[in-house]
C-alpha cells in the first residue's frame, strides 16, 4: 500500500511538472531565433505540415507540444492559409492565436468606383499585388465575367486584403466573387421585371457611374437612359466615346462624337456591347431603379452636378447657360 501511495504521489508530481512545463512552453517566448521570420501556409495544407514548417523555421521549439496545445484549445482545425511574419522570440500561444484568426501579412488596396480594368491593373501593380500585363491577360478570359467578354464591369469596387503571393487569377476571382455577392437575387429579379439581362444592367450602371459622381443624381441619369432606350433615341453618352478612344487627351472634340467605335453611343443605338467601367453598388441600384421623371437630356453645370430637361428646347437653353461647346446641343 505504501508503494502504491508513493506511485500515486510520483505520478501526481510528474503530471504537475508536465503541466507547468507545458504552460511555460505555451505562454513564454522561447528559442534563440531573433528578428522577423516569415512562414507561408498554402491553401489546404495539413496541420502536420504547418507545425513542421513552424518548427523547422524556428518559430516554435517543439511541434508535438504545439500540436497538443492546438488540439486542447480546438484550434488545430482553424488554421488559415497565408503569409505570417513573426518577430522573434514569440510565445506559441500568440503564434496559434494569430494563425487561427488569420492575422497574417496582407496587402490592403481600395478600388474606387468607376475605374476600368486597365486602371485597376495599374492600381494593383502599384500596390505590389499583381503584375500588370499578366493581370490584363487573365482579365481577357471571357469565362470570368457574365457577358462573355471579359471582366470589365465585374470587378467590384471595395477594399480588399491580398496575401503577397496571390496569383493574378486569384485576385480577379476575388473581385468578381465580390460582385456576384453584391448583385443578389433581388436585383436579378428586378432586372427581369425591367426586361433587362444582368449584363445589360451592369452596362447601364457603368454609364451612370461615369456620368455623375453625385449620389442623388444617379436615379435621374438612369431615368434619362431608360427613357431614351424606350423611345429608341441614341444615348449619346460622352464617356462611351472616351472609352473607345485609344489616347484621350482630356478634351472631347466634335469630331470625336462621330468616331466609329463599338461603344460610341452617338453612332449606335441602344447600349454598348460591354460595360465601360466597373460600377459600384449605388450605380447598379440606380440602373434598376430609375427616377419616375420624363427627362431625356442632361448637361453638366461644370461643378459636378447637372441640369436635367424633358424637352430639347429646355436642354438647349441649359447648354447655352453652362456650356460653350455647341456640339452638345444635339445631345
Amino acid at each position: 500500500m505504501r508503494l502504491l501511495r508513493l506511485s500515486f504521489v510520483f505520478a501526481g508530481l510528474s503530471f504537475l511538472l508536465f503541466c507547468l512545463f507545458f504552460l511555460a512552453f505555451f505562454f513564454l517566448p522561447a528559442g534563440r531565433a531573433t528578428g522577423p521570420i516569415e512562414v507561408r501556409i498554402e491553401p489546404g495544407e495539413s496541420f502536420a505540415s504547418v507545425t513542421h514548417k513552424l518548427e523547422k523555421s524556428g518559430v516554435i521549439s517543439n511541434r508535438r507540444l504545439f500540436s497538443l496545445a492546438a488540439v486542447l484549445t480546438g484550434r488545430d482545425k482553424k488554421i488559415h492559409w497565408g503569409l505570417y511574419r513573426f518577430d522573434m522570440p514569440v510565445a506559441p500561444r500568440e503564434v496559434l492565436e494569430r494563425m487561427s484568426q488569420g492575422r497574417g501579412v496582407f496587402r490592403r488596396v481600395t478600388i474606387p468606383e468607376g475605374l476600368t480594368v486597365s486602371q485597376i491593373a495599374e492600381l494593383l501593380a502599384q500596390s505590389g499585388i499583381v503584375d500588370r500585363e499578366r493581370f490584363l491577360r487573365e482579365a481577357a478570359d471571357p469565362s470570368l465575367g457574365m457577358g462573355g467578354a471579359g471582366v470589365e464591369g465585374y470587378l467590384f469596387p471595395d477594399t480588399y486584403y491580398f496575401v503577397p503571393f496571390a496569383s493574378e487569377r486569384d485576385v480577379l476571382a476575388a473581385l468578381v466573387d465580390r460582385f456576384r455577392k453584391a448583385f443578389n437575387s433581388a436585383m436579378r429579379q428586378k432586372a427581369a421585371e425591367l426586361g433587362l439581362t444582368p449584363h445589360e444592367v451592369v452596362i447601364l450602371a457603368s454609364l451612370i457611374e461615369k456620368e455623375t459622381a453625385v449620389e442623388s443624381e444617379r436615379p435621374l441619369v438612369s431615368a434619362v437612359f431608360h427613357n431614351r432606350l424606350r423611345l429608341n433615341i441614341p444615348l449619346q453618352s460622352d464617356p462611351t466615346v472616351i472609352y473607345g478612344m485609344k489616347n484621350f487627351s482630356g478634351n472631347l472634340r466634335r469630331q470625336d462624337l462621330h468616331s466609329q467605335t463599338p461603344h460610341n453611343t452617338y453612332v449606335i443605338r441602344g447600349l454598348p456591347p460591354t460595360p465601360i467601367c466597373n460600377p459600384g453598388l449605388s450605380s447598379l441600384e440606380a440602373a434598376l431603379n430609375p427616377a419616375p421623371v420624363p427627362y431625356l437630356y442632361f448637361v453638366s453645370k461644370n461643378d459636378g452636378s447637372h441640369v436635367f430637361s424633358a424637352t430639347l428646347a429646355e436642354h438647349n437653353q441649359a447648354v447655352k447657360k453652362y456650356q460653350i461647346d455647341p456640339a452638345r446641343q444635339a445631345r
Side-chain angles (χ1 to χ4, degrees):
M1 291 296 295
R2 183 178 182 185
L3 183 61
L4 184 61
R5 286 196 296 271
L6 288 174
S7 298
F8 277 120
V9 171
F10 179 76
L13 289 173
S14 298
F15 178 74
L16 179 60
L17 289 173
F18 174 78
C19 289
L20 292 173
F21 175 75
F22 177 77
L23 291 173
F25 163 81
F26 190 56
F27 287 99
L28 299 178
R32 298 179 179 179
T34 58
I37 294 179
E38 291 188 349
V39 179
R40 174 173 165 172
I41 308 302
E42 305 288 351
E45 188 168 356
S46 69
F47 184 68
S49 176
V50 171
T51 58
H52 178 75
K53 282 184 177 179
L54 292 172
E55 186 180 60
K56 185 178 180 180
S57 62
V59 174
I60 61 175
S61 58
N62 189 306
R63 63 191 179 97
R64 291 181 177 83
L65 288 176
F66 186 83
S67 297
L68 176 61
V71 171
L72 291 175
T73 57
R75 293 176 175 175
D76 56 316
K77 308 283 189 198
K78 299 179 180 179
I79 302 300
H80 293 263
W81 67 277
L83 180 68
Y84 295 87
R85 181 178 294 123
F86 301 102
D87 293 317
M88 301 302 295
V90 63
R93 177 194 60 80
E94 183 179 343
V95 174
L96 188 57
E97 185 175 279
R98 285 178 55 186
M99 298 183 76
S100 63
Q101 295 177 359
R103 292 190 282 120
V105 178
F106 295 93
R107 291 196 172 103
R108 180 181 183 273
V109 62
T110 297
I111 298 175
E113 293 86 350
L115 297 189
T116 63
V117 169
S118 180
Q119 291 170 327
I120 290 175
E122 188 66 33
L123 174 63
L124 292 172
Q126 290 177 357
S127 302
I129 295 170
V130 302
D131 175 86
R132 182 180 182 277
E133 298 308 317
R134 285 200 298 269
F135 183 87
L136 290 174
R137 284 197 299 271
E138 291 285 357
D141 185 348
S143 68
L144 286 174
M146 289 173 58
V151 295
E152 189 78 272
Y154 300 97
L155 304 183
F156 196 71
D158 207 343
T159 297
Y160 295 87
Y161 297 85
F162 295 107
V163 292
F165 56 90
S167 69
E168 284 74 15
R169 188 84 175 186
D170 289 340
V171 173
L172 280 164
L175 271 62
V176 173
D177 184 61
R178 192 71 60 86
F179 168 84
R180 295 183 189 279
K181 291 177 180 176
F183 199 84
N184 56 37
S185 58
M187 297 175 77
R188 291 175 183 275
Q189 178 63 33
K190 181 65 175 178
E193 292 172 3
L194 292 172
L196 298 172
T197 67
H199 188 57
E200 289 171 332
V201 172
V202 178
I203 295 173
L204 185 54
S206 73
L207 270 62
I208 296 168
E209 189 71 65
K210 280 297 191 180
E211 286 286 6
T212 183
V214 180
E215 184 78 18
S216 60
E217 285 190 351
R218 286 176 180 149
L220 298 176
V221 173
S222 177
V224 170
F225 289 147
H226 275 276
N227 292 339
R228 283 184 166 238
L229 288 170
R230 187 180 67 256
L231 297 172
N232 198 30
I233 301 173
L235 298 184
Q236 296 183 317
S237 171
D238 289 359
T240 65
V241 181
I242 296 169
Y243 186 79
M245 299 172 65
K246 290 185 178 180
N247 297 298
F248 179 56
S249 65
N251 179 35
L252 191 63
R253 303 164 300 174
R254 174 185 284 229
Q255 64 194 65
D256 296 326
L257 304 183
H258 304 287
S259 58
Q260 297 294 321
T261 65
H263 288 82
N264 185 351
T265 54
Y266 279 86
V267 298
I268 66 169
R269 292 183 184 273
L271 294 168
T274 70
I276 62 170
C277 72
N278 292 274
L281 184 60
S282 177
S283 291
L284 288 167
E285 290 176 338
L288 291 168
N289 298 280
V293 292
Y295 298 145
L296 291 172
Y297 308 91
F298 61 90
V299 65
S300 172
K301 294 169 63 177
N302 297 316
D303 62 357
S305 64
H306 297 79
V307 174
F308 293 83
S309 306
T311 68
L312 182 59
E314 292 172 349
H315 174 64
N316 285 337
Q317 287 298 317
V319 169
K320 289 179 182 178
K321 181 175 182 179
Y322 294 104
Q323 296 289 326
I324 298 175
D325 184 0
R328 286 169 178 75
Q329 290 191 35
R331 185 170 179 175

